[in-house]
Amino acid sequence: MALKSVEAMHQYGRATVLHVVNQISSYIKRLANEPSVGLHHIQEHVRKSCCELLRCKTRMEEAKKEIYKRVVDAEECRTALCTMNTQGAESISRMQASVALAMDALSLIRAQKTKNMAISL
């Protein structure tokens, strides 16, 4: 008789343990699917990736500044070339005329000095 009661207790204990295990398992499943757990994972992802994103943003800003400098340089070169193309020949002609006048004036000054030196001798 005692053996039957021990066996019955063993079966009851086994059923109770299985029931508790199933309840714990379903509790863990519900907890894992809880929205706050998902939010926690999202927060962890943001915390871990935030530093890299800031470094990337800094590199992008530096690259943007360098590109802007190059664009400004290219625009200034284009403007200078366009100005040279439209007004360059005329400017060069005026410069040549000015140089020719200066050379004529220099020749006259030298001739005047030579003449004055010849008279004073």
Side-chain angles (χ1 to χ4, degrees):
M1 176 94 169
L3 187 59
K4 282 188 179 184
S5 65
V6 170
E7 210 174 284
M9 279 181 56
H10 181 65
Q11 284 180 352
Y12 176 76
R14 191 177 205 184
T16 303
V17 168
L18 286 174
H19 177 70
V20 169
V21 166
N22 286 335
Q23 289 297 321
I24 290 174
S25 177
S26 66
Y27 174 75
I28 291 172
K29 285 178 188 175
R30 276 195 313 256
L31 184 63
N33 291 325
E34 190 69 27
S36 62
V37 174
L39 181 61
H40 170 73
H41 287 295
I42 291 170
Q43 287 173 333
E44 282 298 305
H45 172 71
V46 168
R47 185 183 62 80
K48 289 178 182 177
S49 62
C50 191
C51 294
E52 180 60 32
L53 289 173
L54 286 175
R55 281 192 294 272
C56 183
K57 181 180 178 184
T58 303
R59 287 193 308 264
M60 292 292 288
E61 290 295 325
E62 290 169 359
K64 184 178 171 183
K65 287 177 185 176
E66 287 298 317
I67 289 170
Y68 180 74
K69 288 178 189 176
R70 301 305 191 271
V71 167
V72 169
D73 290 344
E75 183 64 27
E76 288 174 357
C77 289
R78 188 189 71 76
T79 303
L81 288 173
C82 287
T83 302
M84 288 170 143
N85 190 29
T86 57
Q87 299 174 0
E90 185 180 318
S91 296
I92 290 173
S93 297
R94 280 184 293 192
M95 283 188 249
Q96 286 174 336
S98 296
V99 169
L101 285 173
M103 293 300 285
D104 290 341
L106 183 61
S107 296
L108 287 173
I109 292 171
R110 282 186 182 160
Q112 194 71 11
K113 276 187 178 179
T114 307
K115 186 177 177 183
N116 287 342
M117 285 176 80
I119 293 176
S120 57
L121 286 176

